[in-house]
Amino acid sequence: MPKHISIWFFTGVLLLVYGVIIFGAGIYALSNPPEHPVVLESLHIDIWWGVALTVIGAIYCWKFVPSGKE
């Protein structure tokens, strides 16, 4: 019989990857500020959002990791 992999594992992987990308973009924006900053740029929401997605994705990956047994 084929092994079943939970859809939540793939959701966790997706959140983890997006979180790392958004966090990296936030760090890049922090080191290279734009010429015309947006309102509330001082909150660095891209860094916070990237960290949140990375943590949530890691939790999902850990909780729903596929095991060898059914």
Side-chain angles (χ1 to χ4, degrees):
M1 294 191 88
K3 296 180 183 174
H4 297 281
I5 300 176
S6 173
I7 188 69
W8 296 112
F9 177 72
F10 291 113
T11 303
V13 170
L14 190 64
L15 289 173
L16 187 65
V17 169
Y18 282 168
V20 169
I21 290 171
I22 292 171
F23 179 73
I27 294 297
Y28 178 79
L30 188 64
S31 63
N32 298 318
E35 184 177 340
H36 303 289
V38 297
V39 178
L40 299 177
E41 181 195 9
S42 62
L43 294 178
H44 304 292
I45 194 67
D46 45 1
I47 293 174
W48 289 105
W49 191 241
V51 168
L53 284 177
T54 302
V55 168
I56 293 169
I59 290 170
Y60 272 51
C61 286
W62 175 71
K63 184 170 170 73
F64 297 106
V65 65
S67 62
K69 55 185 172 179
E70 296 209 23

